[in-house]
């Protein structure tokens, strides 16, 4: 951490390690789980700064949520001091979530400064919990409780513990449900690859499947219950979705590197797209801006390899892509797509 240019000075002495440092894309979190994060703003300058406002928002596909415990500005922050906050959020939507941390402050010279950082996580999988209760006055034997998924999803039952020989039920060998007892059955649903790649197909209210429950009474009589089709609200991506297929974690300063984007037409009409690449103060795109990408049919995708370089060290945000639909003369802006760590390959190490 001491040699990492994106790490604040003195952080290596805290012995936090990389496990407590949030990366730009920190994997998956599951629907229903609680996302918690510790946010620390550290003044690593030699001056006192004033009117510090720390704001943490969570951007989902449908809304922007304020997770900050307080929206009041801190009067001053002395050198080597910190402002700490812990945020929590119960994940209730599927799709990409972006944690946006924004900090504004005033220097001793009266200059107002502002910066932001973005952290992303995915919720591609859906977890379904079915609670089943025996409301009769006698015991019943649970012969089968299964989820029959729809054609768009693959389902995995999470009600067994896998051993070397075979799977063992989490409810034990004797699958009896006593009067007024309740069991929780858990299932994991994931979109099939042929549907997951077509964002325009899985949208709005979609059917995920139905539960099939079979039991026997204490006299051996069989009963069966099949639910109606269960539904969920799929995430929305707008007319055009831009996602990253490949990006390096670390690149060298002022050396070109490659990324691969995927553009998906999520609308119900054909689009004729033009790509514009706008440079920022640190990110510089290589190639021709304003080139035609051609027509993209509804639910179709195209891979877009791009080359760029960074002129500034540290954690840099990739921004500046613009897609214009020539049919409707509508422009879609894509900023803060991802972040990349830029290092200097010629930096000499201190002995």
């Amino acid at each position: 951490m001491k040699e990492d240019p994106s790490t604040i000075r003195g952080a290596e002495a805290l012995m936090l390690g990389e496990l407590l440092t949030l990366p730009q894309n920190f994997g998956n979190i599951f629907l229903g789980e609680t996302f918690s994060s510790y946010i620390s703003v550290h003044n690593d300058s030699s001056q006192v700064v004033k009117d510090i406002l720390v704001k943490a928002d969570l951007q989902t596909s449908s809304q922007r949520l304020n997770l900050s415990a307080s929206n009041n500005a801190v009067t001053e922050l002395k050198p080597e001091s910190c402002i700490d906050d812990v945020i929590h959020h119960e994940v209730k939507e599927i799709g990409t979530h972006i944690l946006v941390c924004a900090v504004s402050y005033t220097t001793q010279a009266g200059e107002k400064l502002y910066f932001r950082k973005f952290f992303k996580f995915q919720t591609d999988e859906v977890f379904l919990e079915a609670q089943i209760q025996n409301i009769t006055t006698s015991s019943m034997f649970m012969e089968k409780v299964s989820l029959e998924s729809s054609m768009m999803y693959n389902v995995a039952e999470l009600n067994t513990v896998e051993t070397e020989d075979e799977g063992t039920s989490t409810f034990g060998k004797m699958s009896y449900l006593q009067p007024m007892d309740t069991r929780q059955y858990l299932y994991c649903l994931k979109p099939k690859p042929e549907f997951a790649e077509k964002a325009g197909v899985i949208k709005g209210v979609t059917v995920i499947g139905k539960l099939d429950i079979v039991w026997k009474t204490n006299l051996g009589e069989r009963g069966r219950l099949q639910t109606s089709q269960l539904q969920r609200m799929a995430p929305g991506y707008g007319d055009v979705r831009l996602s990253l297929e490949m990006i390096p974690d670390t690149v060298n300063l002022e050396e070109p590197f490659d990324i691969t984007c995927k553009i998906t037409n999520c609308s119900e009409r054909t689009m004729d797209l033009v790509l514009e690449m706008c440079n920022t103060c640190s990110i510089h795109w290589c190639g021709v801006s304003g080139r035609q990408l051609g027509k993209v049919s509804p639910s179709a995708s195209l891979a877009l390899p791009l080359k760029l370089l960074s002129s500034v060290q540290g954690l840099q945000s990739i921004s500046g892509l613009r897609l214009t639909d020539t049919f409707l003369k509508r422009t879609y802006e894509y900023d803060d797509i991802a972040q990349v760590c830029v290092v200097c390959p010629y930096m000499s190490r201190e002995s």
Side-chain angles (χ1 to χ4, degrees):
M1 296 182 71
K2 186 176 181 180
E3 297 173 354
D4 188 348
S6 65
T7 304
I8 60 174
R9 187 175 69 252
E12 73 280 355
L14 299 177
M15 295 187 296
L16 293 178
E18 295 183 358
L19 291 178
L20 292 181
T21 304
L22 203 62
Q24 67 171 63
N25 291 293
F26 47 100
N28 292 329
I29 191 170
F30 301 123
L31 201 67
E33 288 186 337
T34 298
F35 166 69
S36 301
S37 181
Y38 168 71
I39 299 174
S40 179
V41 178
H42 184 266
N43 181 5
D44 59 348
S45 71
S46 59
Q47 300 179 355
V48 176
V49 294
K50 298 181 179 180
D51 301 327
I52 307 97
L53 182 62
V54 182
K55 188 177 180 182
D57 292 342
L58 189 64
Q59 177 70 56
T60 70
S61 58
S62 62
Q63 58 183 330
R64 190 183 184 102
L65 305 169
N66 181 17
L67 304 184
S68 301
S70 174
N71 292 320
N72 298 324
V74 178
T75 305
E76 67 175 24
L77 183 63
K78 297 180 180 179
E80 304 301 329
S81 298
C82 296
I83 298 175
D84 302 317
D85 191 13
V86 178
I87 58 174
H88 304 280
H89 175 70
E90 182 181 348
V91 179
K92 299 179 180 179
E93 295 183 49
I94 195 172
T96 302
H97 289 52
I98 304 176
L99 178 63
V100 184
C101 297
V103 181
S104 61
Y105 60 96
T106 304
T107 65
Q108 285 186 339
E111 183 182 6
K112 293 184 178 180
L113 299 177
Y114 172 85
F115 67 89
R116 292 187 301 174
K117 284 195 174 183
F118 300 84
F119 309 96
K120 299 181 181 180
F121 61 88
Q122 293 280 130
T123 55
D124 290 332
E125 298 174 331
V126 180
F127 282 81
L128 173 69
E129 180 190 29
Q131 294 189 3
I132 298 177
Q133 184 180 24
N134 178 9
I135 61 173
T136 68
T137 57
S138 60
S139 301
M140 62 174 57
F141 175 76
M142 304 304 299
E143 186 173 303
K144 184 180 76 169
V145 179
S146 62
L147 177 65
E148 298 178 2
S149 62
S150 68
M151 61 177 295
M152 292 188 293
Y153 293 91
N154 290 320
V155 62
E157 293 192 11
L158 305 179
N159 305 307
T160 57
V161 178
E162 298 297 330
T163 59
E164 294 182 358
D165 299 330
E166 58 183 8
T168 304
S169 172
T170 56
F171 307 111
K173 296 182 179 180
M174 304 300 291
S175 187
Y176 285 99
L177 193 60
Q178 301 299 328
M180 304 310 296
D181 278 0
T182 302
R183 282 184 180 177
Q184 289 82 28
Y185 292 84
L186 188 62
Y187 304 90
C188 175
L189 293 124
K190 193 169 185 179
K192 293 181 179 179
E194 59 266 31
F195 295 104
E197 293 177 357
K198 298 180 180 181
V201 176
I202 302 181
K203 64 179 181 179
V205 178
T206 59
V207 174
I208 61 175
K210 56 186 177 181
L211 283 170
D212 188 17
I213 307 167
V214 181
W215 69 92
K216 288 183 180 179
T217 66
N218 54 0
L219 296 179
E221 296 176 341
R222 176 175 291 185
R224 183 179 183 181
L225 174 64
Q226 201 170 55
T227 68
S228 58
Q229 292 286 354
L230 305 175
Q231 298 178 332
R232 62 172 288 270
M233 179 63 70
Y237 298 105
D239 291 341
V240 185
R241 180 187 181 187
L242 187 144
S243 57
L244 275 176
E245 297 293 292
M246 186 277 293
I247 181 173
D249 293 327
T250 304
V251 299
N252 291 332
L253 180 69
E254 297 180 346
E255 290 185 10
F257 61 94
D258 297 314
I259 66 173
T260 302
C261 300
K262 185 172 76 170
I263 299 173
T264 305
N265 183 357
C266 300
S267 69
E268 298 178 353
R269 54 184 173 80
T270 300
M271 292 185 170
D272 189 13
L273 298 176
V274 175
L275 173 68
E276 294 183 27
M277 301 179 293
C278 305
N279 293 334
T280 66
C281 58
S282 59
I283 294 296
H284 306 273
W285 297 93
C286 306
V288 179
S289 180
R291 62 186 171 113
Q292 294 275 350
L293 298 181
K295 295 181 180 180
V296 183
S297 303
S299 301
S301 302
L302 61 87
L304 185 63
L306 297 171
K307 189 181 293 289
L308 62 158
L309 62 85
S310 176
S311 58
V312 180
Q313 292 187 72
L315 197 62
Q316 302 301 324
S317 180
I318 297 178
S319 301
L321 290 182
R322 305 289 183 262
L323 290 173
T324 301
D325 181 11
T326 58
F327 290 151
L328 296 182
K329 305 298 182 183
R330 183 179 298 174
T331 300
Y332 304 91
E333 300 182 356
Y334 299 93
D335 294 317
D336 303 312
I337 304 167
Q339 291 177 320
V340 64
C341 182
V342 183
V343 298
C344 180
Y346 310 109
M347 183 180 296
S348 60
R349 297 187 177 183
E350 297 179 1
S351 57

